[in-house]
Amino acid sequence: MTLRMLAALPAIACVAAATPAQAQDDRIELGAPVPQWATQSDLLDMPDDARGVVFIRRQDTVVHLATEGERIFNAFRIRLLQPAALQLGNIAIQWNPAAGTPQIHSILIHRDGATIDVLDQAEFEILRREDNLEAAAIDGLLTATLRVPDLRIDDEPGWAFTVPTADPTLADRDAGLLALGATPPAGRYRLSLTWEDGQEPAIRATDDLAAMITRTDNAVLISADTPSALIPPKDAPPRYNWQRVLEYSDFADWPALSRRVHALFQEAASVPGDSPVAREAARIAAAHDTDLARAAAALELVQKQVRYVYVGLNGSNIRPARAEITWERRYGDCKGKTALLLALLGAMGIEAEVVLANNQGGDDGLDERLPSPLLFDHVLVRATIDGQQYWLDGTFPDAFGPAQRPVPPYRWVLPLAANGAPLDRVEWQPERHPTELALYEIDARAGFDEPAHITQTNVTRGLEALAQYAQLSQVTDDQLETAIRSQLAGSTSWNTIDSVKWRFDEASQASVMEISGTGPVNWEDEGGAARSLILPGGGFSPPDRRQRSAADGDAPFWQDSRFTCHVTSVRLPETTEPSEWSHNSAFETAIYGSSYARVFDLRDGTMRMMRVFRTDESEISAEQAASDTRRLSGFDNSMARINFEPGLAGDAAMQPNDADHVPATFDRDWVADDSACLSAVD
């Protein structure tokens, strides 16, 4: 269903149980009466022109807050219009057994004026499924499944059930949200938040729900009959996708949440002075001379010696495993690894704090939300060393050490502190190093008609480098070369593949792939002895037009942060003279908050070209976008081209230009020094 509902589910996703095993109830209660606080709306008449796969005659969701915990009631009655809708007869209800026992109130089929009670003829099967074992994740959730028999088109199945959702770690605090999807099927929707006396939380709803909300002393009701589709403004920041949402929270503010979770990590990171963890810290401190080196060694220890396993048993979705336990069993999730790293750093006297973060990009606009652990799915360490902040993530591979910028581009994080801390804004900055650096070298000194020696090097940083490391560090050199040869077999760009090399450069946190071999050079015949060549990596496609309808208002335009640098070097045929060579347009321009540059240089018998793109602003105003759109027709989207004309001399010939000096691919170690890319746009 397109109705989204998330309630009271503390969602720091890297969870690991640290509490003693609790009795787990794998029962479900069948035929239980509907709770007194749960209501079902009237049925919506079936319209004559109903289209789609289903028609929602009624869908009710009620979140109830009580002293003994939170429960969620769901009731549906749906008209099946197409064969694809028959899959709704595969009912699956999932719950955490630590929270309690679910209740199945009824499962009925309404057909031609008759009512069939499914519970009289079928039984639920209880499954303990671990769907993510291959991803090292054990959540302990139970699933009750039922395959409704004899379901037909035009039937109206209906079912009602209640699921407990209280988390034992935050049993006295509720936080969550109710959300109506952007494009739900036609029908009637009722979403309610109810509470017992003394349990009322703070509540905040988006403006688009205002006309749908009814408020009473102990409830908030959202009513919608066939709600219209919602389309966020095109290319707007992610926070504009926050639509038709009602939040609730028992936390007074963000510092209150910070204090609460901080106490859990302080307890988990507390270790005796003679513990194995303390001895590891002493060993690291003695082996290294600086705090930065010690922090790096502690991080490497957690990354290499403690494997990642998500264990979400017994509902401990917030509480980290104790550092000693994680070290003893040598596995843990993000919270367990973070607590262990915090213990090691604390034992060495290195100032460090735990921060909650969102790895899925859902933190844009976090400062406009009610405080809730639901909004975080990751936790890591931020240390202060010699006056500088460093981010340390124990779930990363060991090649990723302390970094002054977090690899995921966080917008907001919540530091954990004894006295509480507010949300901390992570200021957006343009990239200082290319996230993608492509080096392409063509050695055509043997002449126009001979194959050239070609070397192609790709240098990647950031999240893509992390993904490449995870994949390529597990294969042998022979396996990698075989895979690349197979991939490039039959390519028009290569005659032979002589070598394939990959390495990860820890100093620059870069994944480096180098392929060398021979291949044809696609010189174009321009008549007579004249030639031209389109250089790989030298052209820009024009940016998409940043334009919206007036109905979208003045929302800013948003773009991903990117920095790409392409450097191409052509060693020219030795039979030619530098004066016989020229190139097409070089340029430097900025549009839509991004910089574009292309420069050429000819030195020492080598034509050099560098093309650079960088995002300078993550958001631009609608006014700036409109102004830049008027300039878009003048954007140079030509491919980079070099030209050879025998006998060319004088003003038409290309001359070395110190202002546009471009290092060749072989002039430097570009992995260690990519400053030329930055100078083109900074």
Side-chain angles (χ1 to χ4, degrees):
M1 303 308 298
T2 57
L3 175 65
R4 295 183 295 115
M5 190 285 301
L6 302 170
L9 301 174
I12 300 177
C14 308
V15 293
T19 54
Q22 301 172 9
Q24 297 201 349
D25 190 349
D26 60 359
R27 297 178 298 106
I28 56 175
E29 185 178 350
L30 299 179
V34 173
Q36 191 173 25
W37 45 264
T39 58
Q40 298 185 60
S41 57
D42 296 332
L43 297 176
L44 182 63
D45 290 338
M46 181 75 172
D48 294 334
D49 60 347
R51 298 180 181 179
V53 176
V54 298
F55 177 75
I56 309 300
R57 293 265 272 158
R58 174 180 64 208
Q59 179 167 330
D60 297 288
T61 296
V62 183
V63 177
H64 184 65
L65 311 181
T67 54
E68 64 273 15
E70 178 176 308
R71 298 179 73 82
I72 301 175
F73 169 80
N74 283 284
F76 308 83
R77 181 163 167 178
I78 300 173
R79 180 75 175 270
L80 308 181
L81 304 178
Q82 300 288 342
L86 294 175
Q87 65 180 336
L88 293 176
N90 300 324
I91 299 175
I93 299 172
Q94 193 173 73
W95 77 99
N96 188 325
T101 302
Q103 297 175 323
I104 313 299
H105 306 296
S106 63
I107 301 178
L108 306 171
I109 297 176
H110 304 275
R111 178 187 299 156
D112 298 329
T115 300
I116 303 169
D117 191 336
V118 175
L119 291 182
D120 286 344
Q121 52 182 299
E123 293 184 357
F124 275 90
E125 181 180 2
I126 308 299
L127 305 177
R128 185 182 298 276
R129 300 187 301 178
E130 296 297 349
D131 296 331
N132 297 307
L133 279 176
E134 70 281 359
I138 305 173
D139 56 28
L141 299 180
L142 298 181
T143 303
T145 65
L146 174 66
R147 290 170 291 280
V148 177
D150 191 29
L151 199 60
R152 309 173 189 178
I153 298 300
D154 290 328
D155 280 354
E156 293 188 9
W159 59 97
F161 61 92
T162 299
V163 177
T165 61
D167 182 272
T169 305
L170 300 177
D172 60 337
R173 290 290 184 271
D174 294 306
L177 58 89
L178 291 166
L180 185 61
T183 56
R188 170 161 290 171
Y189 299 88
R190 300 291 184 266
L191 289 75
S192 302
L193 175 67
T194 67
W195 56 87
E196 295 181 352
D197 290 342
Q199 299 295 313
E200 180 178 359
I203 298 172
R204 180 181 296 172
T206 52
D207 292 341
D208 49 23
L209 284 179
M212 306 179 188
I213 289 181
T214 302
R215 179 72 183 259
T216 65
D217 289 342
N218 287 75
V220 174
L221 171 65
I222 301 170
S223 302
D225 287 347
T226 308
S228 59
L230 287 179
I231 302 176
K234 180 184 177 183
D235 298 327
R239 61 184 177 274
Y240 283 83
N241 293 321
W242 190 262
Q243 298 175 298
R244 289 207 291 233
V245 175
L246 183 143
E247 306 169 78
Y248 60 93
S249 177
D250 281 340
F251 291 96
D253 49 27
W254 288 107
L257 176 59
S258 171
R259 285 192 299 273
R260 183 66 176 268
V261 183
H262 172 268
L264 302 176
F265 277 88
Q266 284 298 108
E267 179 184 359
S270 177
V271 296
D274 59 348
S275 70
V277 173
R279 290 196 294 272
E280 284 294 325
R283 180 188 62 79
I284 292 172
H288 300 276
D289 296 331
T290 68
D291 281 348
L292 182 57
R294 290 165 181 154
L299 176 60
E300 183 181 13
L301 181 73
V302 173
Q303 292 169 334
K304 290 181 68 173
Q305 299 298 332
V306 179
R307 73 184 187 274
Y308 177 86
V309 177
Y310 168 107
V311 185
L313 301 174
N314 299 328
S316 295
N317 292 343
I318 296 294
R319 184 183 299 276
R322 294 186 62 88
E324 294 171 280
I325 295 176
T326 298
W327 180 244
E328 178 182 355
R329 63 192 183 188
R330 299 298 177 99
Y331 69 79
D333 61 4
C334 66
K335 296 193 312 304
K337 281 172 166 270
T338 292
L340 175 57
L341 181 55
L342 191 67
L344 291 168
L345 296 176
M348 293 187 289
I350 297 175
E351 181 183 351
E353 63 183 352
V354 177
V355 295
L356 305 185
N358 187 303
N359 271 0
Q360 306 303 315
D363 55 350
D364 185 39
L366 196 62
D367 57 320
E368 301 171 5
R369 312 280 175 255
L370 291 179
S372 170
L374 176 71
L375 300 174
F376 302 102
D377 63 5
H378 192 54
V379 60
L380 67 163
V381 170
R382 189 169 61 180
T384 301
I385 303 172
D386 298 330
Q388 298 289 327
Q389 281 191 343
Y390 293 89
W391 301 78
L392 293 78
D393 194 324
T395 66
F396 281 0
D398 58 278
F400 290 80
Q404 291 187 295
R405 296 179 65 174
V407 173
Y410 299 134
R411 299 169 179 84
W412 294 93
V413 297
L414 181 64
L416 304 185
N419 295 324
L423 286 173
D424 188 10
R425 184 182 185 91
V426 182
E427 293 294 338
W428 186 90
Q429 299 176 3
E431 300 287 347
R432 303 300 295 175
H433 297 278
T435 52
E436 176 188 331
L437 171 61
L439 307 172
Y440 203 87
E441 181 180 327
I442 303 172
D443 187 347
R445 287 177 291 184
F448 290 110
D449 299 322
E450 298 296 325
H453 183 76
I454 298 172
T455 301
Q456 181 177 340
T457 305
N458 292 296
V459 182
T460 307
R461 292 183 174 86
L463 287 173
E464 182 62 27
L466 179 62
Q468 287 186 11
Y469 181 89
Q471 178 184 15
L472 299 179
S473 62
Q474 301 181 41
V475 301
T476 66
D477 292 342
D478 288 343
Q479 288 173 328
L480 175 62
E481 184 165 331
T482 299
I484 296 297
R485 286 179 183 275
S486 176
Q487 179 181 340
L488 298 178
S491 168
T492 58
S493 301
W494 298 90
N495 291 343
T496 65
I497 303 295
D498 297 334
S499 70
V500 177
K501 300 176 182 177
W502 176 82
R503 64 187 174 91
F504 189 85
D505 187 79
E506 295 190 20
S508 61
Q509 301 285 275
S511 173
V512 184
M513 173 78 77
E514 179 184 296
I515 305 172
S516 63
T518 62
V521 182
N522 297 318
W523 297 105
E524 295 184 22
D525 188 345
E526 300 293 345
R531 298 285 191 276
S532 67
L533 177 65
I534 295 174
L535 300 184
F540 283 111
S541 297
D544 292 336
R545 184 181 299 272
R546 302 290 195 267
Q547 192 170 348
R548 305 193 192 107
S549 66
D552 287 329
D554 58 355
F557 287 82
W558 175 83
Q559 56 189 340
D560 281 323
S561 182
R562 294 173 52 227
F563 185 2
T564 64
C565 182
H566 292 250
V567 183
T568 301
S569 298
V570 182
R571 294 180 186 259
L572 303 172
E574 292 180 337
T575 57
T576 66
E577 297 294 330
S579 62
E580 297 173 319
W581 289 91
S582 62
H583 64 81
N584 68 333
S585 57
F587 56 82
E588 181 179 354
T589 189
I591 189 170
Y592 294 137
S594 297
S595 292
Y596 300 78
R598 184 169 71 199
V599 292
F600 293 85
D601 194 7
L602 174 59
R603 295 175 186 273
D604 305 323
T606 301
M607 181 73 76
R608 304 113 180 272
M609 184 279 303
M610 183 167 62
R611 175 181 71 79
V612 183
F613 167 87
R614 188 179 72 162
T615 305
D616 298 324
E617 301 174 72
S618 62
E619 297 183 18
I620 61 170
S621 67
E623 292 78 12
Q624 180 181 341
S627 175
D628 286 346
T629 296
R630 292 190 288 270
R631 301 191 295 114
L632 187 57
S633 60
F635 186 86
D636 188 338
N637 65 342
S638 63
M639 293 181 286
R641 183 185 293 270
I642 60 175
N643 307 290
F644 168 71
E645 186 175 346
L648 185 68
D651 293 340
M654 182 175 175
Q655 303 296 327
N657 182 355
D658 290 335
D660 290 334
H661 177 62
V662 179
T665 53
F666 50 81
D667 278 347
R668 63 173 62 183
D669 179 357
W670 284 85
V671 178
D673 182 8
D674 53 27
S675 58
C677 299
L678 186 61
S679 65
V681 293
D682 216 12

